[in-house]
Amino acid sequence: MAETHSLQELQTPPVSSKVFIQRDYTSGTICRFQTKFPSELENRVDKQQFEDTIQTLNNLYAEAEKLGGRSYLEGCLACLTAYTVFLCLETHYEKVLKKISRFIKDQNEKIYAPRGLLLTDPIERGLRVVEITIFEDRGVGSGR
Amino acid sequence: MPGFSGGGIGGGVGGPASAPPRPFRPSRYVPVSAATLFLVGSTTLFFCFCPWLSEHVSSVVPIYVAVMFLFTLSNFCMATFMDPGIFPREEDEDKEDDFRAPLYKTVEVKGIQVRMKWCSTCRFYRPPRCSHCSVCDNCVEDFDHHCPWVNNCIGRRNYRYFFLFLLSLTTHIIDVFCFGLVYVLHHRHELDTPHSVVMAVMCVAGLFFVPVAGLTGFHIVLVARGRTTNEQVTGKFRGGVNPFTNGCLRNITYVLCRSQAPYLGRWHSPQELEIQPPFLRPSLTEAQLEAKVLDNGIQSSLLTDAPPTPSMFKYRPACNSPGRNHIIRGESLDSPSPTILQSSRHPSYRSEPSSLDGATVVGGGAGVRRGGGDRGEGPGGSGIPAGGVSGYSLTGRSYTSYPSSLVLSTGSHSSSIRSAHTAHNPLATLQSEGTTDTSYKSLANQTPRNGSLSYDSLLTPSESPEFESAAHELSPQKPHAPFHLTGVTLRGQSEMMSPGSPLQGYTSPFLSAQIAQQREGQLLQGSATFSSPHRAYLRAVSPTPPSSSGPPEAHPLIHRHRTPSTSSSSRSVMTNHTSSKPGVKKVTGVGGTTYEISV
């Protein structure tokens, strides 16, 4: 049994389905994702963990879009340098996006990949959805 | 300066990778070339008579005009070359899906219903304030308008630069005109060739001043009101409330001081993560276990949180890996382990054991769960089989005792049947992305299992045709029901639908073949109430039921109990199903959206 499964185990398990966490537009066009726990993940991951992940994502995006002194200074500097500063420096939003990327990678490694799930960075979908890929749990069958 | 529309400064190179190449149209570049020519040309000519101005008026004049000109030019370049916020095309989806997506999806923005339209070119529902530009053939975030003078769309990412360009251009025109006027007034007696240049510059400035100033004023008003040109021109908020405004001051601050929005068309990063089974599973909490054991019926609270039927369909033993199912669905009642997944609440299952004696509670629960149609559900322990069998017969009886509980969510039954029967795997994938409507999904989530569905269809003959038609009409259908069905669901479903297949809903892989057969025998002959729901479900699924003995038996038995609640259930079903013409069914979604499903 182990031998017949060894080849399969070397490959990535097939994708069972995908869940899409849509944007939450109740507060306007700011980037926020719905924290409602999708039913497909009911038996794959803890509800609390999932909600924590999404909430952290939302907080990070709120930080990126924050209207603060930092973004204002960035704008002024850009105006003064005829926007050539964009060629040299990273904008605040881009910095936070990198932080979000790292966070998602971290979450995938720690929480979601061991449970056969994969979060896709929303920036790869134009910040419209958080795509969660559910992988088929083949290996459990070999336990019989 | 030819138009370089779609290019992203500070972002990716070129447009989003998924946009198809557009034919080269030189006529598109005429306005932007003219604008560039006038701007640069006029200012250059202005600098010809600047020395006089610096001597006789002030030396600051040329510096000021130069700074103004640079500011105008840089904003002009940013407005021209900056990506306006183009959404990359959604490539992942099934092509057939386009024809079945409902045209609109409603979301609530600050208490106001906003419609999101399906973009057939870009293959997603346009976020609020997004619009598809026909010139650029792209969906643009916070779409303002397509400006021919910069040969680019004005959207979220470059609206600030466009607005500042307008402001600075107006100021620049005023400056040039005024200084030219000063020069001309001082040289009125010497209007020969050198001075005629000044006159020409002044004429150009004066000519462009009127439309530019008008446009600037218009955009100042738009910014103050928090609207886009598109919204203003189409009259979206005429007489209504604009949900996207935050007050005049905040609106202005948003436009001028917000951080640069990100470029959305970036390259996909390769996935380096290794994902290998076996996977961890969450274990049931004590409260969940207790709820499962003691729950009397379909509790409303549990209903709202209950996992939907579709995810259970994935775990039928009939499909690829039978072993997987029972472990996944294994009873963690005995010993919850991280590898054994137990889905938390299945109200219909829970309804069974409550009426029965405590001893068989667990088994009954397990039995019921199996009976309910979750094929893969099996007892985690080995001591269950006997109890499970007895649980079956007991639970069978319990069906009659609790007709009302099963009738409870008949409205959602129909939707769950829909979910049960949706056939397309790729569609399901896409559709989840495209059509997830939270309210609709929660409705689906309330759906109990197949057992209760079939039971309902059994109880009222009038209902079952609806279920059948619902099943039929929905099997070819697509994503519009956001029921997140998977390929495994489909496979399991097809297994179920074949009349020759054994009644797998009630067969646990943990049981020996004998017991399974025994149970099957029971289902087919004995406990009519228990078997018939399943068969009725099969009947609902396909026109030819595997056996005809069950349902007629069950009908008189169940019908008695069901009569009072029939009308309510059929009513609730009716709200979801209204046929207006043959071959097309109109379904009213929760958000007030009407979908037409072709049967």
Side-chain angles (χ1 to χ4, degrees), chain A residues 9 22 40 44 83 137, chain B residues 75 276 281 341 433 484:
Chain A
E9 275 151 19
Q22 299 289 335
E40 289 76 3
R44 301 297 291 246
Y83 307 109
D137 203 355
Chain B
N75 281 305
Q276 289 298 336
R281 299 284 180 164
L341 210 213
E433 144 86 90
H484 303 290

Side-chain angles (χ1 to χ4, degrees), chain B residues 179-191:
Chain B
F179 289 126
L181 193 66
V182 166
Y183 184 93
V184 163
L185 287 173
H186 272 266
H187 293 86
R188 324 182 251 273
H189 310 291
E190 306 163 20
L191 285 173

Side-chain angles (χ1 to χ4, degrees), chain A residues 13 44 113-117 135-138 140, chain B residues 275-281 338-339:
Chain A
R44 301 297 291 246
R115 287 167 174 77
L117 301 171
F135 290 97
E136 216 174 272
D137 203 355
R138 249 184 310 122
V140 187
Chain B
I275 299 179
Q276 289 298 336
F279 301 132
L280 298 173
R281 299 284 180 164
T339 56

